[in-house]
Amino acid sequence: MLVQVLNTAVIMDVKVESLKSELKRVREENNTLRVMFEVLSSKYTKLESHLQEINKEQHKGMSSNQIGSVTEPILDVNNRRRLEFPTAKKPLQIFVRTHPMDDSLIVKDGYQWRKYGQKVTKDNASPRAYFRCSMAPICPAKKKVQRCLHDKSILVATYDGEHNHGALHEPSSSTPRGSSVANQLPSIANDKEAMNILALSGLSQTDRRHGEVMNQHNYDTNIKVEEYVSSLIKDPDFTMSLAEAVARTITGELKQQDINLNLNIPEE
DNA sequence: CGAATTTGACCAGCGC
DNA sequence: GCGCTGGTCAAATTCG
């Protein structure tokens, strides 16, 4: 009996030790990523401000050349006049990262949509799907969903019109349980507000598994960051300084962890 | 069997 | 007027 208890205690000790070492490893990894992110953020901020300065200078040059001329309309690839929406009335666009193997054009945003058409457009080989809201009998809300030209795993959803029904409903039987982003959202009366939250959330449990939801700004920023990261990786100076920073931080972190473990102080 | 989706036809707007 | 394009309709088909 006593032997059994001792054996159990030893097994528990071993488990505790392995969990401690696992925790330690995860904290180190987390810290490394945090340092990398901080370095990237600071360099990205500097680069962005530098880019803005360059843009300002270019703009000054252009405006001095354009004195007395009429601003040219924005034209598409066929020199056709493109519809320009004022910023305030610009249709809301959200970007949804999906699994590369998932070829459906379904963006789960908490509303029920009925597909009424599909077209292949000139500027994108991927078909564009047309949906209208089916949650209310005469809801004018519509959306178009098309795959991103540059990244097929990203769906671009363009929303037109306002929903004439208030709060987001609970998912109905036609919506798979737990698959809707709205499941994680509180009840929201205003659909634009809902969409803004949707666009900015991107971090719900479901989305971590099925994809990321981004708004236009986040998407553009992500592309910039990705380009910047790839250039930084090629920079040997950056790699060296990053390695030094990581080494310093890990050493400091380990010391702090030992103190915390000895004193049983929980970390944040 | 009803609802949802697919898909070819049709329509409107625009440039030439 | 013609051709091109995006958006919508509606019959056929599929799905639960």
Side-chain angles (χ1 to χ4, degrees):
Chain A
M1 183 67 180
L2 184 65
V3 177
Q4 269 187 343
V5 172
L6 283 172
N7 276 343
T8 313
V10 169
I11 290 167
M12 291 299 285
D13 278 348
V14 171
K15 279 187 180 174
V16 167
E17 282 308 313
S18 70
L19 284 173
K20 275 183 184 175
S21 61
E22 175 69 11
L23 186 65
K24 205 169 167 180
R25 190 189 63 78
V26 171
R27 278 179 181 157
E28 283 170 21
E29 197 176 312
N30 184 29
N31 208 56
T32 308
L33 290 171
R34 197 167 59 202
V35 172
M36 282 178 74
F37 177 73
E38 280 168 8
V39 173
L40 279 176
S41 295
S42 65
K43 290 214 172 191
Y44 174 69
T45 309
K46 282 181 192 171
L47 188 72
E48 196 174 33
S49 58
H50 183 59
L51 191 67
Q52 278 173 358
E53 281 174 21
I54 292 171
N55 282 341
K56 273 183 194 171
E57 283 172 17
Q58 282 180 347
H59 189 71
K60 276 180 194 169
M62 277 177 70
S63 56
S64 63
N65 290 338
Q66 282 181 339
I67 291 170
S69 69
V70 179
T71 310
E72 292 293 322
I74 297 174
L75 303 173
D76 66 10
V77 286
N78 280 339
N79 284 342
R80 292 177 65 174
R81 193 182 295 265
R82 214 169 65 191
L83 273 178
E84 259 198 296
F85 297 90
T87 312
K89 292 182 180 178
K90 197 175 179 180
L92 178 66
Q93 273 196 329
I94 67 165
F95 297 81
V96 182
R97 191 181 291 280
T98 61
H99 192 277
M101 301 301 286
D102 182 10
D103 58 350
S104 66
L105 290 170
I106 296 167
V107 175
K108 290 159 187 167
D109 52 17
Y111 289 97
Q112 267 186 290
W113 299 94
R114 185 191 180 94
K115 189 176 178 182
Y116 65 90
Q118 184 165 311
K119 270 278 187 189
V120 175
T121 56
K122 198 190 170 194
D123 56 345
N124 192 335
S126 303
R128 175 186 294 167
Y130 298 88
F131 297 88
R132 59 169 62 103
C133 181
S134 63
M135 283 174 80
I138 38 173
C139 177
K142 290 176 189 174
K143 74 171 177 180
K144 295 174 279 190
V145 180
Q146 191 168 27
R147 295 205 168 272
C148 179
L149 181 62
H150 305 293
D151 187 347
K152 304 279 185 215
S153 66
I154 293 173
L155 292 176
V156 183
T158 309
Y159 291 82
D160 290 313
E162 305 261 334
H163 292 276
N164 60 5
H165 44 92
L168 296 175
H169 296 183
E170 287 297 314
S172 69
S173 56
S174 64
T175 309
R177 190 182 280 263
S179 66
S180 168
V181 174
N183 290 348
Q184 289 89 41
L185 293 174
S187 180
I188 295 160
N190 183 312
D191 61 303
K192 277 195 172 168
E193 189 184 349
M195 290 315 302
N196 285 335
I197 291 170
L198 170 68
L200 292 169
S201 67
L203 292 170
S204 65
Q205 291 293 334
T206 310
D207 288 331
R208 279 191 198 131
R209 273 181 276 121
H210 296 296
E212 300 161 12
V213 183
M214 297 171 277
N215 63 8
Q216 175 96 52
H217 175 75
N218 286 350
Y219 176 69
D220 291 343
T221 307
N222 279 358
I223 288 174
K224 282 179 192 169
V225 168
E226 278 172 22
E227 286 171 0
Y228 186 54
V229 166
S230 64
S231 70
L232 282 175
I233 288 167
K234 289 169 192 165
D235 181 358
D237 290 342
F238 169 73
T239 313
M240 280 300 291
S241 55
L242 177 63
E244 281 173 25
V246 170
R248 271 201 306 275
T249 316
I250 288 173
T251 316
E253 181 83 2
L254 287 177
K255 280 177 190 167
Q256 186 60 44
Q257 275 174 3
D258 287 340
I259 295 165
N260 290 347
L261 285 171
N262 289 337
L263 298 172
N264 285 330
I265 298 170
E267 285 195 20
E268 302 169 33

mmCIF file of all heavy atoms in Angstrom, chain A residues 149-170:
data_model
loop_
_atom_site.group_PDB
_atom_site.id
_atom_site.type_symbol
_atom_site.label_atom_id
_atom_site.label_comp_id
_atom_site.label_asym_id
_atom_site.label_seq_id
_atom_site.Cartn_x
_atom_site.Cartn_y
_atom_site.Cartn_z
ATOM 1 N N LEU A 149 -6.851 37.664 -56.517
ATOM 2 C CA LEU A 149 -6.085 37.404 -57.738
ATOM 3 C C LEU A 149 -4.696 36.868 -57.415
ATOM 4 O O LEU A 149 -4.181 35.976 -58.091
ATOM 5 C CB LEU A 149 -5.978 38.698 -58.550
ATOM 6 C CG LEU A 149 -5.237 38.652 -59.881
ATOM 7 C CD1 LEU A 149 -5.934 37.689 -60.842
ATOM 8 C CD2 LEU A 149 -5.175 40.025 -60.502
ATOM 9 N N HIS A 150 -4.079 37.427 -56.363
ATOM 10 C CA HIS A 150 -2.690 37.082 -56.039
ATOM 11 C C HIS A 150 -2.569 35.889 -55.093
ATOM 12 O O HIS A 150 -1.559 35.214 -55.075
ATOM 13 C CB HIS A 150 -1.973 38.299 -55.447
ATOM 14 C CG HIS A 150 -2.041 39.489 -56.337
ATOM 15 N ND1 HIS A 150 -1.401 39.526 -57.548
ATOM 16 C CD2 HIS A 150 -2.720 40.660 -56.222
ATOM 17 C CE1 HIS A 150 -1.647 40.705 -58.124
ATOM 18 N NE2 HIS A 150 -2.449 41.398 -57.339
ATOM 19 N N ASP A 151 -3.590 35.669 -54.289
ATOM 20 C CA ASP A 151 -3.530 34.575 -53.332
ATOM 21 C C ASP A 151 -4.874 33.855 -53.319
ATOM 22 O O ASP A 151 -5.855 34.332 -52.768
ATOM 23 C CB ASP A 151 -3.207 35.140 -51.938
ATOM 24 C CG ASP A 151 -2.963 34.028 -50.922
ATOM 25 O OD1 ASP A 151 -3.291 32.849 -51.227
ATOM 26 O OD2 ASP A 151 -2.452 34.339 -49.848
ATOM 27 N N LYS A 152 -4.902 32.698 -53.946
ATOM 28 C CA LYS A 152 -6.162 31.950 -54.126
ATOM 29 C C LYS A 152 -6.761 31.488 -52.803
ATOM 30 O O LYS A 152 -7.930 31.101 -52.758
ATOM 31 C CB LYS A 152 -5.929 30.723 -55.033
ATOM 32 C CG LYS A 152 -5.352 31.047 -56.377
ATOM 33 C CD LYS A 152 -6.436 31.529 -57.326
ATOM 34 C CE LYS A 152 -5.882 31.733 -58.729
ATOM 35 N NZ LYS A 152 -6.473 32.845 -59.436
ATOM 36 N N SER A 153 -5.964 31.504 -51.754
ATOM 37 C CA SER A 153 -6.512 31.048 -50.466
ATOM 38 C C SER A 153 -7.274 32.171 -49.762
ATOM 39 O O SER A 153 -7.855 31.954 -48.710
ATOM 40 C CB SER A 153 -5.401 30.530 -49.573
ATOM 41 O OG SER A 153 -4.540 31.578 -49.227
ATOM 42 N N ILE A 154 -7.268 33.366 -50.352
ATOM 43 C CA ILE A 154 -7.970 34.489 -49.736
ATOM 44 C C ILE A 154 -9.250 34.806 -50.509
ATOM 45 O O ILE A 154 -9.220 34.959 -51.716
ATOM 46 C CB ILE A 154 -7.073 35.740 -49.673
ATOM 47 C CG1 ILE A 154 -5.920 35.494 -48.711
ATOM 48 C CG2 ILE A 154 -7.872 36.965 -49.253
ATOM 49 C CD1 ILE A 154 -4.888 36.578 -48.694
ATOM 50 N N LEU A 155 -10.363 34.866 -49.797
ATOM 51 C CA LEU A 155 -11.635 35.248 -50.396
ATOM 52 C C LEU A 155 -11.862 36.729 -50.151
ATOM 53 O O LEU A 155 -11.636 37.222 -49.049
ATOM 54 C CB LEU A 155 -12.785 34.453 -49.782
ATOM 55 C CG LEU A 155 -12.844 32.958 -50.073
ATOM 56 C CD1 LEU A 155 -13.996 32.332 -49.302
ATOM 57 C CD2 LEU A 155 -13.012 32.698 -51.555
ATOM 58 N N VAL A 156 -12.305 37.439 -51.191
ATOM 59 C CA VAL A 156 -12.621 38.852 -51.057
ATOM 60 C C VAL A 156 -14.135 38.986 -51.108
ATOM 61 O O VAL A 156 -14.750 38.661 -52.112
ATOM 62 C CB VAL A 156 -11.988 39.679 -52.187
ATOM 63 C CG1 VAL A 156 -12.278 41.155 -51.993
ATOM 64 C CG2 VAL A 156 -10.498 39.427 -52.265
ATOM 65 N N ALA A 157 -14.735 39.440 -50.023
ATOM 66 C CA ALA A 157 -16.182 39.615 -49.968
ATOM 67 C C ALA A 157 -16.510 41.101 -50.005
ATOM 68 O O ALA A 157 -15.984 41.875 -49.204
ATOM 69 C CB ALA A 157 -16.740 38.984 -48.700
ATOM 70 N N THR A 158 -17.318 41.530 -50.967
ATOM 71 C CA THR A 158 -17.711 42.932 -51.105
ATOM 72 C C THR A 158 -19.184 43.063 -50.753
ATOM 73 O O THR A 158 -20.026 42.401 -51.363
ATOM 74 C CB THR A 158 -17.468 43.421 -52.540
ATOM 75 O OG1 THR A 158 -16.134 43.104 -52.915
ATOM 76 C CG2 THR A 158 -17.691 44.898 -52.651
ATOM 77 N N TYR A 159 -19.489 43.879 -49.766
ATOM 78 C CA TYR A 159 -20.859 44.011 -49.273
ATOM 79 C C TYR A 159 -21.515 45.256 -49.854
ATOM 80 O O TYR A 159 -20.930 46.327 -49.852
ATOM 81 C CB TYR A 159 -20.862 44.072 -47.750
ATOM 82 C CG TYR A 159 -20.474 42.764 -47.121
ATOM 83 C CD1 TYR A 159 -19.138 42.416 -46.986
ATOM 84 C CD2 TYR A 159 -21.432 41.851 -46.710
ATOM 85 C CE1 TYR A 159 -18.776 41.198 -46.437
ATOM 86 C CE2 TYR A 159 -21.073 40.633 -46.153
ATOM 87 C CZ TYR A 159 -19.748 40.321 -46.027
ATOM 88 O OH TYR A 159 -19.391 39.110 -45.471
ATOM 89 N N ASP A 160 -22.749 45.100 -50.360
ATOM 90 C CA ASP A 160 -23.536 46.220 -50.888
ATOM 91 C C ASP A 160 -24.881 46.258 -50.165
ATOM 92 O O ASP A 160 -25.506 45.219 -49.964
ATOM 93 C CB ASP A 160 -23.788 46.035 -52.390
ATOM 94 C CG ASP A 160 -22.519 46.201 -53.204
ATOM 95 O OD1 ASP A 160 -21.803 47.179 -52.967
ATOM 96 O OD2 ASP A 160 -22.248 45.331 -54.042
ATOM 97 N N GLY A 161 -25.332 47.457 -49.857
ATOM 98 C CA GLY A 161 -26.660 47.598 -49.257
ATOM 99 C C GLY A 161 -26.680 47.303 -47.772
ATOM 100 O O GLY A 161 -25.770 46.690 -47.234
ATOM 101 N N GLU A 162 -27.715 47.800 -47.146
ATOM 102 C CA GLU A 162 -27.853 47.662 -45.699
ATOM 103 C C GLU A 162 -28.884 46.575 -45.381
ATOM 104 O O GLU A 162 -29.890 46.453 -46.062
ATOM 105 C CB GLU A 162 -28.354 48.988 -45.096
ATOM 106 C CG GLU A 162 -27.508 50.183 -45.441
ATOM 107 C CD GLU A 162 -26.549 50.539 -44.326
ATOM 108 O OE1 GLU A 162 -26.854 50.227 -43.166
ATOM 109 O OE2 GLU A 162 -25.498 51.120 -44.612
ATOM 110 N N HIS A 163 -28.624 45.831 -44.332
ATOM 111 C CA HIS A 163 -29.634 44.878 -43.862
ATOM 112 C C HIS A 163 -30.787 45.666 -43.240
ATOM 113 O O HIS A 163 -30.548 46.604 -42.482
ATOM 114 C CB HIS A 163 -29.038 43.933 -42.818
ATOM 115 C CG HIS A 163 -28.023 42.995 -43.382
ATOM 116 N ND1 HIS A 163 -28.360 41.814 -44.001
ATOM 117 C CD2 HIS A 163 -26.665 43.079 -43.440
ATOM 118 C CE1 HIS A 163 -27.240 41.189 -44.394
ATOM 119 N NE2 HIS A 163 -26.209 41.945 -44.059
ATOM 120 N N ASN A 164 -32.033 45.310 -43.562
ATOM 121 C CA ASN A 164 -33.175 46.015 -42.971
ATOM 122 C C ASN A 164 -33.717 45.288 -41.746
ATOM 123 O O ASN A 164 -34.804 45.570 -41.272
ATOM 124 C CB ASN A 164 -34.295 46.237 -43.998
ATOM 125 C CG ASN A 164 -34.822 44.942 -44.554
ATOM 126 O OD1 ASN A 164 -34.425 43.864 -44.108
ATOM 127 N ND2 ASN A 164 -35.705 45.021 -45.534
ATOM 128 N N HIS A 165 -32.941 44.331 -41.278
ATOM 129 C CA HIS A 165 -33.313 43.649 -40.037
ATOM 130 C C HIS A 165 -32.199 43.889 -39.054
ATOM 131 O O HIS A 165 -31.035 44.053 -39.444
ATOM 132 C CB HIS A 165 -33.540 42.154 -40.274
ATOM 133 C CG HIS A 165 -32.490 41.515 -41.132
ATOM 134 N ND1 HIS A 165 -31.369 40.925 -40.618
ATOM 135 C CD2 HIS A 165 -32.372 41.457 -42.483
ATOM 136 C CE1 HIS A 165 -30.626 40.474 -41.626
ATOM 137 N NE2 HIS A 165 -31.208 40.792 -42.764
ATOM 138 N N GLY A 166 -32.548 43.954 -37.768
ATOM 139 C CA GLY A 166 -31.598 44.398 -36.777
ATOM 140 C C GLY A 166 -30.477 43.462 -36.444
ATOM 141 O O GLY A 166 -29.511 43.345 -37.182
ATOM 142 N N ALA A 167 -30.646 42.800 -35.298
ATOM 143 C CA ALA A 167 -29.542 42.027 -34.736
ATOM 144 C C ALA A 167 -29.216 40.818 -35.578
ATOM 145 O O ALA A 167 -30.054 40.299 -36.312
ATOM 146 C CB ALA A 167 -29.911 41.590 -33.324
ATOM 147 N N LEU A 168 -27.993 40.376 -35.444
ATOM 148 C CA LEU A 168 -27.584 39.121 -36.055
ATOM 149 C C LEU A 168 -28.334 38.002 -35.357
ATOM 150 O O LEU A 168 -28.418 37.956 -34.147
ATOM 151 C CB LEU A 168 -26.082 38.908 -35.869
ATOM 152 C CG LEU A 168 -25.187 39.917 -36.551
ATOM 153 C CD1 LEU A 168 -23.748 39.640 -36.172
ATOM 154 C CD2 LEU A 168 -25.360 39.864 -38.037
ATOM 155 N N HIS A 169 -28.886 37.103 -36.169
ATOM 156 C CA HIS A 169 -29.648 36.003 -35.582
ATOM 157 C C HIS A 169 -28.726 34.882 -35.153
ATOM 158 O O HIS A 169 -27.598 34.772 -35.586
ATOM 159 C CB HIS A 169 -30.649 35.462 -36.606
ATOM 160 C CG HIS A 169 -31.675 36.457 -36.986
ATOM 161 N ND1 HIS A 169 -32.697 36.177 -37.834
ATOM 162 C CD2 HIS A 169 -31.830 37.767 -36.643
ATOM 163 C CE1 HIS A 169 -33.461 37.238 -38.007
ATOM 164 N NE2 HIS A 169 -32.939 38.213 -37.289
ATOM 165 N N GLU A 170 -29.287 34.048 -34.276
ATOM 166 C CA GLU A 170 -28.584 32.817 -33.962
ATOM 167 C C GLU A 170 -28.540 31.979 -35.212
ATOM 168 O O GLU A 170 -29.435 32.039 -36.043
ATOM 169 C CB GLU A 170 -29.350 32.051 -32.866
ATOM 170 C CG GLU A 170 -29.221 32.688 -31.499
ATOM 171 C CD GLU A 170 -27.791 32.703 -31.007
ATOM 172 O OE1 GLU A 170 -27.106 31.686 -31.112
ATOM 173 O OE2 GLU A 170 -27.359 33.748 -30.503
#
